[in-house]
Amino acid sequence: MERGSFAARHDFDALPLSPDVDVRRAKFSEIAALSQLAHRLVPGVRIGATELAKYFAFDPESILTFSRKGNLVGGMAFLFLNDRGHDALLLDEICLTAPETRYLASAKEDVSAIYIWAIAATGRGVAGLGKAAAHLRQLRFRNADCYAQPSTVAGRDIMKATGFEPVPSFQPDLWCYERPWHRQPMRMPSAIIQARSFADARY
């Protein structure tokens, strides 16, 4: 991924929806170009257009294109994991370069976790992340937290800037973004609360 401008920290689900970048579900005719873009920008990508097309056929919502003024400037691919796939991800029992479809949620299954398989964007294309996040707020994906393994310094910077944090797992360098509606409100220990209440009462 090429470095984007993420100096300010934004929660992934609160990223702005840039009017300059159009984000939509990929078309089958775009798979080859997206595969080439990923090979050029994302270190370690080995999957080819033919294999990528198989996953796209399994779930057409799993690949998005980013375009600006009619030109392809990026794309994003996801693995929508079922319960079995979620466990396999945390236990490092899934091959992330060529995952078996038994780990992926079908259209009739709840999505237990979202693995961000790849983000490839050039120039202003990274501004499409806000609309990609909106795509993941659809009812089918809303209850699933997001996971990723940054492969570049720029990717790691984006993870940090959008609320992802490293999580303990058998999967190396796994980061997780917990959806805001899953987070527990921070609670202060009762002793501290009592002391503060007492101080407030005095003054």
Side-chain angles (χ1 to χ4, degrees), residues 23-43:
V23 177
R24 57 170 173 75
R25 285 168 44 173
K27 298 176 182 177
F28 188 82
S29 60
E30 297 171 315
I31 296 300
L34 287 168
S35 176
Q36 292 174 3
L37 190 68
H39 277 267
R40 182 161 58 90
L41 297 179
V42 184

Side-chain angles (χ1 to χ4, degrees), residues 120-172:
T122 61
R124 296 186 184 180
V126 73
L129 283 177
K131 290 180 178 177
H135 175 75
L136 299 179
R137 288 194 292 275
Q138 295 180 76
L139 186 61
R140 183 186 174 207
F141 314 120
R142 186 175 171 81
N143 287 325
D145 290 333
C146 301
Y147 294 85
Q149 289 174 299
S151 58
T152 65
V153 173
R156 189 177 298 271
D157 288 346
I158 288 177
M159 294 291 102
K160 292 177 181 178
T162 53
F164 283 76
E165 295 181 351
V167 291
S169 72
F170 291 98
Q171 187 73 241

Side-chain angles (χ1 to χ4, degrees), residues 60-105:
E61 292 195 274
S62 64
I63 302 177
L64 302 178
T65 60
F66 299 178
S67 59
R68 185 170 184 267
K69 297 181 179 179
N71 297 315
L72 182 67
V73 293
M76 198 165 179
F78 311 96
L79 298 177
F80 298 131
L81 303 174
N82 55 26
D83 288 336
R84 187 188 301 117
H86 192 176
D87 290 342
L89 175 67
L90 297 176
L91 295 172
D92 193 18
E93 294 178 350
I94 183 174
C95 175
L96 291 171
T97 56
E100 298 176 56
T101 54
R102 66 191 180 99
Y103 291 128
L104 306 181

